[in-house]
Amino acid sequence: MIIKTFPMGLIGTNAYLLIDEISKEAAVIDIGGDFAEVSEEIEKSKANLKYILNTHGHFDHILGEKDVQEATGLPVYVHEADKYLVENLPEQLKRFGFVNNVLPPENIKTFTEKDIFKLGNEEIKVIHTPGHTPGSSCFLVGKNLFSGDTLFHASIGRTDFEGGSFAQISNSIKEKLFKLDDDIDVYPGHDSKTTIGYEKQYNCYFGSKIIQQ
Ligand SMILES: [Zn+2]
Ligand SMILES: [Zn+2]
């Protein structure tokens, strides 16, 4: 699997492009800004975009998706518990103080825990990890985890927004993500990459070497 990272949008969200080398089928995750650069990369790689996926429904992860839809005609996928957030994009922008008048994407489809998206023979598995938002989800692709705003390098996503819950994010990380193999690379929604093994030890909230001190 080819994985490319594109920091973009109003607050530096990581968008990801996944391309299966054999079938050339591709998926994008969290297009939170200008789609042009990702689109160029898809063309250059002679890939076919198959899925527009979202780790959750916050504005900074979906802002560019109307443009992706206009270019491709594809639906947007989000966990069923975050569909309302995608539909409420204009209200979200207002609440966060942006005057940007972007319309929400149309044709919103939902997924649930354990749904699988296929790129050729490769699988994108959904892990529902509520806490940052009710529908926050991670995508596991082989040894790569796309963690959205649930797990960051040495940190976790905020839980003080509407629908957030510290108890839920704690459960999602400890009972689901920390049960994954140590050598899994973690691609978060903001900032730099990490691994499950590093976070199990050094995460500022749940790392075993941090909370013992
Ligand atoms: Zn978020
Ligand atoms: Zn975010």
Side-chain angles (χ1 to χ4, degrees):
M1 187 71 71
I2 298 165
I3 298 168
K4 304 230 167 189
T5 308
F6 301 84
M8 60 169 66
L10 297 170
I11 53 171
T13 303
N14 290 326
Y16 294 104
L17 169 64
L18 281 57
I19 303 174
D20 171 46
E21 288 110 317
I22 298 163
S23 66
K24 294 283 179 188
E25 289 183 340
V28 288
I29 299 174
D30 293 353
I31 300 293
D34 189 357
F35 179 54
E37 208 187 331
V38 184
S39 175
E40 274 168 31
E41 188 61 43
I42 292 171
E43 263 178 49
K44 210 170 75 188
S45 311
K46 299 193 168 34
N48 295 315
L49 188 62
K50 193 172 173 192
Y51 301 116
I52 307 169
L53 303 177
N54 288 285
T55 59
H56 63 297
H58 276 155
F59 73 94
D60 58 308
H61 296 254
I62 61 173
L63 263 184
E65 294 191 342
K66 186 118 177 88
D67 292 341
V68 189
Q69 286 196 316
E70 271 163 21
T72 62
L74 292 169
V76 159
Y77 284 91
V78 69
H79 188 278
E80 58 185 1
D82 267 20
K83 187 176 185 223
Y84 79 103
L85 283 170
V86 179
E87 290 167 337
N88 290 347
L89 174 62
E91 290 78 6
Q92 282 196 62
L93 287 166
K94 245 179 260 161
R95 203 172 316 139
F96 283 94
F98 295 105
V99 284
N100 209 325
N101 217 358
V102 182
L103 289 171
E106 290 162 9
N107 194 6
I108 303 163
K109 294 207 161 145
T110 58
F111 54 72
T112 56
E113 171 89 352
K114 297 206 169 74
D115 271 348
I116 289 173
F117 297 91
K118 291 198 88 176
L119 296 181
N121 290 324
E122 300 265 8
E123 293 185 336
I124 303 172
K125 295 178 184 162
V126 173
I127 305 173
H128 182 212
T129 50
H132 176 65
T133 62
S136 275
S137 298
C138 299
F139 300 113
L140 183 65
V141 188
K143 288 279 182 186
N144 308 293
L145 183 82
F146 298 87
S147 65
D149 289 0
T150 297
L151 184 63
F152 294 127
H153 179 256
S155 190
I156 63 169
R158 286 174 62 168
T159 55
D160 57 332
F161 298 131
E162 182 204 338
S165 157
F166 186 80
Q168 282 187 348
I169 205 169
S170 170
N171 187 65
S172 293
I173 291 174
K174 289 194 283 195
E175 300 304 322
K176 289 187 174 176
L177 301 187
F178 282 7
K179 298 274 153 86
L180 300 172
D181 294 343
D182 285 359
D183 61 347
I184 287 178
D185 284 320
V186 178
Y187 295 81
H190 301 271
D191 304 319
S192 54
K193 260 175 71 178
T194 182
T195 65
I196 292 292
Y198 182 88
E199 297 308 318
K200 278 185 195 168
Q201 293 193 58
Y202 299 110
N203 186 274
C204 291
Y205 291 83
F206 305 121
S208 57
K209 298 222 163 137
I210 302 293
I211 49 180
Q212 277 167 13
Q213 288 165 11

